[in-house]
Amino acid sequence: MPTLILVRHGRSTANTSGVLAGRTPGVSLDERGAEQAAALPGRLARIPLAAAVSSPLERCRQTLQPLLDARPDLPLHVEDGLSECDYGDWSGRKLAELSDEPLMSLVQQHPSAAAFPGGESMRAMQARAVEAVRTWNARVADEHGEDAAYVMCSHGDIIKSVVADALGMHLDLFQRLHADPCSVTAIRYTRLRPFLLRLGDTGDLAGLAPAAHGAGADAAADGGSDAAVGGGAGAP
């Protein structure tokens, strides 16, 4: 199965103003976010990508644009299942004022029971995001082979919920995960299990390039389904 490169969008104007953007229109990258997006093609330069898939929201499409400019043959697909959580009546409000809402305690400690007024539940958010990933895994494998890699650009809670699913982690524990703006989280899916290769990585990504299939390559590193007993030697 393919390797999924999950990119959180670059820093946005809502991030810097402390606003829960949700699906509010007109939220774009700030100056730092644009710089982060501009660096993405270089960070991914050694990784062959079969496709780019984006949340429909502007900040995600802006984040992927420099990568698309650098790789004009890379097709872009918009996937509604990757859109930000529908925070409903919370959308556009300051996080500082939301911290006093009784629901915030539930979001932090028991998110599987949390549903946003006028929006969606966190269980529904995870279900449609994971379904989108599974659908794209199958599509990329069918069209480009099981060793292919592809990039998805989405949002913090979406990425954390997909990682939780890959790790077999209950949604109530997903707040233990973290992904900074324009960080990369990589999951290699195999027929037996997913392997979490990166989580919230903001540095060099050359180690995610496909490894040579040989005696010195770890099973997990070269796309196999077996875990490397003892931890393995890492990427060559």
Side-chain angles (χ1 to χ4, degrees):
M1 298 294 287
T3 297
L4 169 60
I5 310 294
L6 271 167
V7 178
R8 184 184 169 198
H9 63 78
R11 197 175 75 176
S12 73
T13 53
N15 294 147
T16 48
S17 60
V19 169
L20 184 65
R23 300 179 180 180
T24 305
V27 176
S28 60
L29 300 184
D30 69 4
E31 183 176 354
R32 174 59 180 154
E35 293 173 353
Q36 292 169 333
L40 191 59
R43 295 172 63 204
L44 296 175
R46 290 182 57 185
I47 305 172
L49 296 171
V53 186
S54 178
S55 156
L57 297 181
E58 181 180 0
R59 54 195 182 272
C60 289
R61 300 179 73 163
Q62 287 179 328
T63 299
L64 284 182
Q65 193 58 54
L67 179 64
L68 299 172
D69 291 342
R71 302 193 193 194
D73 294 332
L74 184 64
L76 175 66
H77 308 272
V78 175
E79 171 56 61
D80 289 340
L82 298 179
S83 191
E84 177 63 287
C85 183
D86 184 355
Y87 296 116
D89 297 344
W90 278 27
S91 300
R93 293 178 61 188
K94 288 279 190 179
L95 288 165
E97 68 181 46
L98 290 171
S99 64
D100 294 330
E101 294 277 355
L103 178 60
M104 182 60 84
S105 178
L106 202 62
V107 169
Q108 292 294 327
Q109 299 180 44
H110 192 20
S112 67
F116 296 97
E120 70 180 332
S121 70
M122 300 195 87
R123 294 190 316 279
M125 173 199 74
Q126 183 185 43
R128 48 100 171 161
V130 169
E131 178 64 22
V133 167
R134 300 293 184 184
T135 299
W136 276 99
N137 281 349
R139 177 172 173 176
V140 170
D142 287 345
E143 296 179 3
H144 301 280
E146 297 202 349
D147 291 332
Y150 70 108
V151 63
M152 278 185 163
C153 188
S154 190
H155 308 267
D157 280 350
I158 299 295
I159 292 169
K160 287 161 55 178
S161 70
V162 169
V163 171
D165 172 77
L167 294 176
M169 176 188 291
H170 197 283
L171 185 61
D172 284 347
L173 303 179
F174 99 135
Q175 299 292 23
R176 302 181 183 193
L177 305 172
H178 181 74
D180 279 328
C182 222
S183 63
V184 167
T185 294
I187 305 170
R188 177 168 290 131
Y189 288 87
T190 77
R191 295 194 178 277
L192 294 185
R193 62 178 64 86
F195 290 94
L196 180 63
L197 306 180
R198 296 285 193 281
L199 176 62
D201 195 323
T202 56
D204 180 74
L205 300 167
L208 292 176
H213 289 257
D218 293 334
D222 71 4
S225 295
D226 289 342
V229 177

